[in-house]
């Protein structure tokens, strides 16, 4: 399949996230007023509407909230099947969609511990992914 | 003192489909217009009397669908609505139409839909190319989750994990839909279907197989909502709006507050409350089946069974012809038709059931019907409770 994979185009709002990912760091926003973390990046806190959001590092640890093994994929991903897309819950609270990379995809389970890793997809963009956390 | 319920001020007077299935000779606007013409004829109301237009389309290039449809039909409305919340929009639009009529803004509303999704091959697994600044474009799409199957697969996986729901139970929903479709001459898929057939169909995104997923067809529909005081002049007995509610909880599946609790958990209780009845009072239900899991979780969230029991509830042919709880009596999005969005067809079938027009697939003594639409990635829900008699 010749379709091009969608690669994120950072905006001023999201650039800190992508810049950190390039450096192998996972950062999200935390509200200076109510203390809640949020993801994806925003101008205002979805919990309390404060605009005092600061970028903070994540522990990189998460648990699998749900997952699916993709067997029939969109054009650009057709050659990658099967692969596991997961919805993981960060230790800090927010969830994110990601790839779960595992030698044994059949062993992926809801509630399993995972930790962040990074995969470059272009010169500018590195995607956070998650691998099984043996710790 | 409470104000009288706005829902009592409006009735559904007419419903119709356009040509459906595969209609390469028709554009989306023609499908809107064909359905509109037939629904107005069914209602016995002249186009000149339409002063409210509510239209939406699945073609994202049509940025102002109600304006386009109104121009095409030659309508200059006093009330207009293009509520874009996915497949549940039409249930919400009946509520909006009733509100507008009760408020005196207009007297007769025409709700229309049309899509050439099959002929134009518009359904792409990657989803429609999004504006790059949208959150989903940056944080979801790079991971190649098939749209929409992948999102619903994530919900199904978690439901199975929490409640032990089995693929065979999801398959029962597709099998029941097919059994109904076999009684509907307009249905797209009418060959016999078994649980084994569903389980043997190709896996798309675990745990959802091809036959857990809705059809891709062309088609349109229209619904005419008018002022209740017009009812005596119309050819059909009016269909009454007993209850209604709408809600949405997220856009991306990644932001869904709880993957196994759909917006129906909000709209179901609210709609029953507005109708003054309970789930036990419903005779026939038309519940959006974009995927088998959509229906299974909606059954729970609407209160037809308790949370987690949707699997056992769907077993044993309960949902099919002759079963104790008939749903999706036209064959649903799984077997009847699914042109991009299905919500308007839920209303059309409910009205026909309440009018007792359904022939072989008629549910006996259908007096109260529920329609529940689901839109997006389990994002939106809208519930309607319709009655053969006035509330
Ligand atoms: Zn806050």
């Amino acid at each position: 399949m010749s379709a091009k994979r969608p690669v994120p185009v950072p905006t001023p709002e999201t650039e800190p996230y992508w810049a950190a990912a390039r450096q192998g760091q996972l950062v999200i926003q935390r509200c200076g007023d109510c203390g809640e973390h949020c993801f994806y990046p925003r101008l205002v806190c979805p919990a309390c509407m404060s605009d005092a959001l600061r970028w903070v590092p994540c522990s990189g640890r998460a648990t699998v909230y749900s997952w699916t093994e993709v067997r029939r994929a969109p054009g650009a991903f057709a050659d990658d099947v099967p692969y596991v897309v997961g919805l993981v819950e960060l230790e800090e609270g927010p969830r994110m969609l990601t790839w779960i990379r595992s030698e044994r995809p059949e062993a992926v389970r809801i509630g399993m511990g995972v930790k962040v890793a990074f995969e470059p997809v272009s010169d500018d963009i590195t995607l956070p992914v998650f691998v099984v956390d043996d710790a | 003192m409470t104000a009288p319920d706005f829902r009592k001020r409006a009735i559904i007077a007419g419903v119709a489909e356009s040509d459906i299935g595969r209609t390469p000779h028709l554009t989306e606007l023609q499908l809107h217009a064909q359905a509109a013409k037939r629904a107005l004829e069914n209602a016995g109301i002249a186009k000149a009397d339409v002063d409210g237009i509510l239209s939406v389309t699945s073609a994202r290039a049509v940025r102002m669908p109600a304006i386009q449809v109104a121009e095409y039909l030659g309508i200059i409305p006093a009330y207009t609505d293009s509520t874009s919340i996915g497949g549940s929009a039409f249930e919400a639009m009946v509520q909006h139409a009733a509100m507008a009529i009760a408020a005196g803004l207009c007297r007769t509303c025409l709700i229309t839909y049309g899509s050439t999704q099959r002929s134009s091959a518009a359904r792409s697994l990657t989803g429609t190319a999004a504006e790059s600044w949208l959150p989903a474009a940056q944080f979801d799409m790079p991971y190649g989750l098939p749209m929409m199957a992948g999102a619903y697969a994530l919900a199904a996986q978690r439901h199975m994990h929490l409640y032990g729901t089995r693929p065979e139970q999801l398959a029962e929903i597709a099998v029941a839909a097919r059994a109904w479709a076999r009684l509907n001459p307009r249905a797209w898929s009418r060959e016999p279907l078994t649980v084994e057939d569903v389980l043997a169909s190709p896996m798309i995104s675990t745990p959802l197989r091809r036959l857990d997923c809705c059809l891709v067809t062309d088609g349109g529909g229209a619904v005419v909502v008018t002022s209740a005081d017009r009812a005596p002049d119309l050819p059909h007995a009016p269909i009454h709006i007993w209850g209604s509610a709408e809600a949405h909880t997220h856009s991306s599946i990644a932001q869904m507050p709880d993957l196994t609790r759909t917006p129906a958990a909000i709209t179901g209780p609210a709609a029953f409350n507005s109708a003054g009845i309970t789930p036990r009072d419903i005779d026939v239900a038309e519940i959006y089946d974009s995927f088998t899991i959509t229906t299974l979780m909606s059954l729970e969230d609407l209160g037809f069974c308790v949370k987690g029991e949707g699997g056992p509830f769907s077993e044993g042919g309960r949902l099919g012809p002759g079963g104790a709880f008939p749903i999706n009596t036209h064959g649903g999005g799984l077997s009847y038709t699914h042109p991009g969005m299905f919500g308007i067809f839920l209303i059309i079938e409910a009205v026909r059931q309440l009018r007792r027009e359904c022939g072989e697939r008629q549910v006996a003594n259908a007096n109260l019907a529920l329609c529940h639409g689901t839109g997006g990635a389990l994002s939106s829900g809208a519930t309607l409770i319709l009655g053969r008699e006035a509330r």
Side-chain angles (χ1 to χ4, degrees), chain A residues 5-11 13-15 17-18 39-42 64-77 83 85-87 95-99 109-111 127-129, chain B residues 124-126 132-133 135 137-147 149-151 153-159 161-162 203-208 210 252-260:
Chain A
R5 279 193 187 183
V7 173
V9 180
T11 65
E13 184 175 52
T14 65
E15 172 56 28
Y17 175 86
W18 295 114
F39 179 77
Y40 47 87
R42 289 162 161 96
V64 176
Y65 179 72
S66 196
W67 61 279
T68 181
E69 185 177 58
V70 179
R71 302 275 185 85
R72 180 166 178 268
F77 297 93
Y83 55 93
V85 177
L87 192 50
R95 291 185 206 132
M96 57 175 66
L97 207 64
T98 188
W99 282 317
R109 292 287 178 274
I110 289 172
L127 293 182
V129 303
Chain B
S124 143
L125 279 169
T126 43
S132 66
W133 49 264
Q138 290 192 58
F139 301 107
D140 295 357
M141 290 178 69
Y143 297 102
L145 186 68
M147 283 299 154
L154 289 169
Q157 191 88 265
R158 189 161 174 87
H159 199 278
H161 171 79
L162 291 178
M203 189 66 82
I204 303 291
S205 193
T206 61
L208 297 182
R210 180 182 302 284
S252 161
I253 194 70
Q255 300 286 322
M256 187 166 178
D258 176 342
L259 269 188
T260 60

Side-chain angles (χ1 to χ4, degrees), chain A residues 22-96:
Chain A
R22 265 194 305 277
Q23 307 295 318
Q25 293 214 330
L26 184 66
V27 298
I28 62 173
Q29 290 171 311
R30 181 161 193 245
C31 177
D33 281 320
C34 77
E36 291 285 315
H37 290 83
C38 74
F39 179 77
Y40 47 87
R42 289 162 161 96
L43 182 75
V44 294
C45 170
C48 75
M49 206 68 185
S50 162
D51 61 3
L53 294 171
R54 296 187 325 259
W55 288 97
V56 296
C58 291
S59 73
R61 293 188 194 287
T63 54
V64 176
Y65 179 72
S66 196
W67 61 279
T68 181
E69 185 177 58
V70 179
R71 302 275 185 85
R72 180 166 178 268
F77 297 93
D79 297 336
D80 298 347
V81 294
Y83 55 93
V84 175
V85 177
L87 192 50
V88 301
E89 194 160 282
L90 302 177
E91 218 167 52
E92 292 77 12
R95 291 185 206 132
M96 57 175 66

Side-chain angles (χ1 to χ4, degrees), chain B residues 47-73:
Chain B
K47 192 266 286 186
D49 289 345
V50 175
D51 53 0
I53 185 91
L54 303 88
S55 299
V56 70
T57 170
S58 64
R60 293 192 191 183
V62 184
R63 294 196 181 271
M64 295 177 267
I67 287 181
Q68 181 62 72
V69 171
E71 177 197 83
Y72 190 91
L73 298 176

Side-chain angles (χ1 to χ4, degrees), chain A residues 61 113-115 131-135:
Chain A
R61 293 188 194 287
V114 289
K115 64 184 177 192
V131 298
V132 174
D133 188 356
D134 297 317

